[in-house]
């Protein structure tokens, strides 16, 4: 083996090691990015929603949500905004409990199917609908759907949909 072959082998080893390190680093960055995109930290419940705390933003009446069930329990994210402690369970319960009113809103305004990606669309329409119906019970349900949608938007990220 002459000197030039030895140099070529050394270069090849350096190149292979460099590529391995690059691939590992790129994989680590992709993994971290993947986690952030799928479940961003600012969307999850990290502290109690206590309006006496300076970090809390807004003035959500938690007790009004709890009147509809424990599944609608509210906490705060790291920025102090109200979020559902378990947004997936809260969403499923809303669909179960208020499905017929959601369907009425959908038909009245020609909205797309109610889903986690369409919650923002229903937020305003549910509030408008609450002022257009006569039955107090339906008005209350529509107002709750609107309030739910407002908190749910804080609780999820549009790119996080596996359920």
């Amino acid at each position: 083996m002459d000197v030039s072959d030895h140099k070529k082998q050394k270069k090849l080893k350096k190149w292979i090691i460099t590529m391995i390190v690059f691939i590992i680093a790129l994989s680590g960055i992709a993994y971290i990015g993947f986690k952030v995109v799928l479940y961003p930290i600012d969307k999850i419940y990290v502290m109690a929603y206590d309006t006496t705390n300076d970090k809390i933003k807004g003035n959500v009446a938690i007790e009004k949500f709890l009147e509809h069930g424990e599944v609608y329990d509210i906490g705060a994210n790291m920025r102090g905004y109200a979020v559902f402690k378990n947004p997936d369970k809260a969403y499923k319960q809303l669909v179960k409990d208020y499905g017929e009113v959601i369907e009425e809103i959908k038909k009245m305004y020609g909205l797309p199917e109610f889903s986690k990606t369409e919650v923002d669309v229903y937020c305003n329409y549910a509030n408008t609908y609450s002022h257009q119906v006569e039955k107090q019970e339906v008005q209350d349900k529509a107002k709750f759907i609107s309030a739910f949608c407002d908190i749910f938007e804080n609780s999820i990220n549009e790119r996080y949909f596996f359920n």
Side-chain angles (χ1 to χ4, degrees), residues 140-159:
D140 293 342
K141 287 181 177 183
K143 286 178 184 175
F144 181 75
I145 291 168
S146 180
F148 171 91
C149 292
D150 193 34
I151 302 299
F152 190 75
E153 287 177 317
N154 296 341
S155 305
I156 56 126
N157 182 302
E158 289 79 18
R159 296 170 287 191

Side-chain angles (χ1 to χ4, degrees), residues 76-87:
N77 65 13
M78 64 187 262
R79 293 189 177 142
Y81 292 103
V83 294
F84 288 111
K85 290 183 177 180
N86 191 327

Side-chain angles (χ1 to χ4, degrees), residues 16-90:
I16 290 172
I17 290 171
T18 303
M19 291 310 296
I20 290 171
V21 168
F22 176 75
I23 290 170
I24 291 171
L26 191 60
S27 298
I29 291 168
Y31 175 75
I32 291 168
F34 185 71
K35 295 280 278 190
V36 168
V37 165
L38 291 178
Y39 207 58
I41 192 76
D42 69 330
K43 298 288 182 183
I44 60 172
Y45 155 68
V46 295
M47 63 181 148
Y49 190 85
D50 176 6
T51 54
T52 62
N53 182 339
D54 293 342
K55 294 179 183 179
I56 299 301
K57 298 188 176 53
N59 193 16
V60 176
I62 298 171
E63 60 282 348
K64 293 286 185 190
F65 282 88
L66 290 174
E67 287 173 5
H68 297 268
E70 285 292 319
V71 72
Y72 300 113
D73 199 5
I74 293 173
N77 65 13
M78 64 187 262
R79 293 189 177 142
Y81 292 103
V83 294
F84 288 111
K85 290 183 177 180
N86 191 327
D88 290 329
K89 283 185 180 178

Side-chain angles (χ1 to χ4, degrees), residues 48 57 67 86 91 104 118 120 135-136 144 155 162:
K57 298 188 176 53
E67 287 173 5
N86 191 327
Y91 173 83
E104 288 173 24
E118 299 296 339
D120 59 329
K135 288 185 180 177
Q136 184 64 44
F144 181 75
S155 305
F162 289 114

